[in-house]
Amino acid sequence: MREYIYMDNAATTPVKDEVLEEMMPFFKEKYGNPSSIYSLGQTSKVAVEKAREQVAKSIAAKKEEIYFTAGGSESDNWAIKGIAYKNKKKGNHIITSKIEHHAVLHTCEYLEKDGFEVTYLNVDKDGIVDLEELKNSIKDTTILITIMTANNEIGTIEPIKEIGEIAKSKGIIFHTDAVQAMGNIKIDVNDMNIDLLSMSAHKVYGPKGIGALYVRKGIKLDSLITGGGQERNKRAGTENVPAIVGMGKAIELAYENLEEHNNKLISLRDNLIKKIEDSIDEIKLNGHRTKRLPGNVNFSFKYIEGESLLLSLDMVGIAGSSGSACTSGSLDPSHVLLGIGLDHEIAHGSLRLSLGDFNNEEEINYVVEELKKIVQKLRMMSPLYDKLEGEK
Ligand SMILES: Cc1ncc(COP(=O)(O)O)c(C=O)c1O
């Protein structure tokens, strides 16, 4: 069998050699605690601050506006709960969208049980938030708008700058989950009026279990973990120095080569979309055709179960996804696909192929060839497809 073809880069990415190389000394040689005042400790502290600078630079933020966390989920939880509880006296209303990641949706549901009111905005057939509906949803009690920069399943990029402007004009705090967008889209927190932004290293060829939250200077939010004075008293606990160093390097690399990376991915993505559309019928591309992440391809295939498709692809050495990594494995159709108006049956037959820096044209051709055969085989086994064939 040929080498494994990995097309699930939206779930996670491999750590790049240059990233691993930067991390390695911080496990055994430079193992000091950044809070220790002797030189071994200070070496770690300098490394953490360098990474903070690298992360800040990538979104045009200041170094002291970056807090390291244990990943995207933690950043989302902290941003939303932190702002909600800090502003409880001002109001209890939060606005989000129906297609957010569960790290946002489940946090909002948690807050609803604690007396907060949440509006879940609809999106159009491509997954784009309706700005008029957003404006009309704002109340005197609205304290936070949280809308993702780009969707993890269908890749649609939201009008973040416009949302930021609306929030700013009404004096409402704006948080965005940029976990999928980082390393794929140029982000400027000032130009886009973003007050808080969540990110995660493992989507940009960095290590897992490390992320960051950008908090605009002047925005107050409750501490996430109390204890020692780390992260300026906001998130206690000895820093994960190797992971922080890896995150800094991974993000720096991603933004150094953004254009080159994007041009390559967009060309691969559009080729893959075209080849699938040319060779398989009764399919639907999910997400916006152009306002989408450079590496994201998401199709629904009529008369097919996404899980069977994934297993069949795995058997020929191809890794994809039928929803976000956190929800695949469950039998419920994706809330994102239902959110863009797909019915349950077609939402079940969906496949996400997310391309990354290590994919190439040869792999695209192989995937299309195999996908075509698998779809045909699975449809022949589908009672619904059989019935329709009989009617033709
Ligand atoms: C949009 C989005 N937000 C948040 C997360 C959670 O990030 P992490 O895995 O770092 O907790 C993910 C991960 O898939 C994501 O895609």
Side-chain angles (χ1 to χ4, degrees):
M1 199 173 78
R2 34 182 309 140
E3 244 179 77
Y4 206 64
I5 294 178
Y6 185 73
M7 290 197 181
D8 202 13
N9 289 278
T12 196
T13 53
V15 171
K16 279 194 173 158
D17 289 344
E18 301 96 306
V19 172
L20 188 60
E21 217 171 279
E22 293 269 315
M23 293 171 67
M24 286 310 275
F26 293 92
F27 286 103
K28 282 187 78 175
E29 297 146 42
K30 304 179 180 176
Y31 54 84
N33 187 322
S35 301
S36 304
I37 56 166
Y38 43 77
S39 49
L40 191 64
Q42 289 308 296
T43 302
S44 295
K45 186 172 166 92
V46 168
V48 167
E49 294 315 310
K50 179 182 165 194
R52 202 185 304 282
E53 182 78 56
Q54 287 166 318
V55 171
K57 201 174 155 204
S58 73
I59 55 168
K62 298 187 195 82
K63 186 170 158 277
E64 54 289 2
E65 294 174 317
I66 302 296
Y67 296 85
F68 287 110
T69 65
S73 302
E74 183 176 309
S75 297
D76 284 341
N77 270 259
W78 185 19
I80 298 167
K81 287 182 189 160
I83 292 297
Y85 288 116
K86 197 78 189 173
N87 292 279
K88 213 166 149 186
K89 286 197 187 108
K90 260 200 236 159
N92 70 340
H93 182 229
I94 296 167
I95 301 175
T96 187
S97 86
K98 285 188 178 159
I99 63 163
E100 298 296 307
H101 189 271
H102 283 133
V104 168
L105 289 178
H106 289 167
T107 304
C108 287
E109 286 161 19
Y110 171 93
L111 288 172
E112 277 182 298
K113 290 192 189 116
D114 202 19
F116 288 88
E117 184 197 352
V118 182
T119 298
Y120 299 89
L121 298 176
N122 291 302
V123 293
D124 71 7
K125 61 173 192 3
D126 293 325
I128 296 182
V129 164
D130 180 343
L131 297 180
E132 283 311 305
E133 193 190 344
L134 168 64
K135 284 184 207 158
N136 294 335
S137 304
I138 295 174
K139 308 177 185 195
D140 293 344
T141 51
T142 308
I143 48 170
L144 174 70
I145 296 173
T146 172
I147 305 283
M148 69 202 320
T149 315
N151 187 270
N152 47 304
E153 291 189 38
I154 56 174
T156 296
I157 298 169
E158 299 295 342
I160 291 303
K161 189 175 158 127
E162 288 82 349
I163 297 171
E165 268 162 22
I166 295 170
K168 193 176 178 192
S169 71
K170 300 279 181 187
I172 299 167
I173 296 171
F174 174 40
H175 165 252
T176 188
D177 173 343
V179 169
Q180 292 290 335
M182 285 299 290
N184 286 309
I185 296 175
K186 194 170 174 299
I187 295 175
D188 180 326
V189 288
N190 301 310
D191 182 49
M192 295 167 140
N193 294 306
I194 297 166
D195 294 314
L196 298 106
L197 178 144
S198 302
M199 54 183 121
S200 181
H202 74 106
K203 312 284 185 180
V204 286
Y205 311 95
K208 295 171 182 56
I210 182 78
L213 180 66
Y214 155 77
V215 183
R216 179 179 293 284
K217 199 162 179 250
I219 298 278
K220 304 239 178 319
L221 84 169
D222 283 351
S223 294
L224 178 68
I225 301 173
T226 47
Q230 293 90 353
E231 299 300 288
R232 295 183 301 290
N233 290 315
K234 291 284 183 212
R235 184 185 184 273
T238 301
E239 298 88 340
N240 185 349
V241 181
I244 289 174
V245 167
M247 176 166 189
K249 183 69 184 175
I251 286 193
E252 184 182 73
L253 282 177
Y255 279 96
E256 246 172 37
N257 300 318
L258 187 67
E259 211 170 314
E260 188 191 325
H261 160 273
N262 277 0
N263 289 343
K264 183 192 155 195
L265 277 190
I266 289 172
S267 148
L268 280 180
R269 176 197 76 190
D270 290 348
N271 243 333
L272 179 56
I273 290 177
K274 183 172 183 328
K275 286 181 174 164
I276 292 176
E277 285 181 331
D278 285 350
S279 49
I280 306 173
D281 60 5
E282 303 212 63
I283 60 173
K284 178 190 176 295
L285 177 70
N286 296 316
H288 197 282
R289 203 166 270 274
T290 53
K291 288 179 199 157
R292 74 187 296 136
L293 288 171
N296 178 286
V297 174
N298 187 315
F299 276 105
S300 287
F301 299 83
K302 268 189 158 180
Y303 319 117
I304 287 198
E305 270 287 312
E307 285 71 20
S308 320
L309 196 51
L310 279 191
L311 291 175
S312 306
L313 284 169
D314 187 38
M315 273 156 55
V316 292
I318 301 165
S321 158
S322 67
S324 72
C326 331
T327 49
S328 55
S330 117
L331 285 176
D332 292 334
S334 138
H335 67 285
V336 176
L337 299 178
L338 297 180
I340 59 169
L342 299 196
D343 62 34
H344 276 240
E345 195 201 316
I346 187 142
H348 265 303
S350 299
L351 172 71
R352 178 187 72 185
L353 295 169
S354 43
L355 307 170
D357 285 3
F358 300 112
N359 293 120
N360 58 43
E361 201 60 54
E362 196 197 323
E363 292 180 332
I364 300 278
N365 292 335
Y366 176 72
V367 167
V368 174
E369 228 174 85
E370 292 301 321
L371 189 61
K372 194 172 146 186
K373 286 190 262 177
I374 291 167
V375 167
Q376 201 170 14
K377 196 176 98 193
L378 292 176
R379 279 184 177 164
M380 293 321 285
M381 285 155 57
S382 157
L384 195 58
Y385 189 68
D386 247 12
K387 189 166 156 265
L388 288 171
E389 281 291 283
E391 283 168 6
K392 278 180 194 166

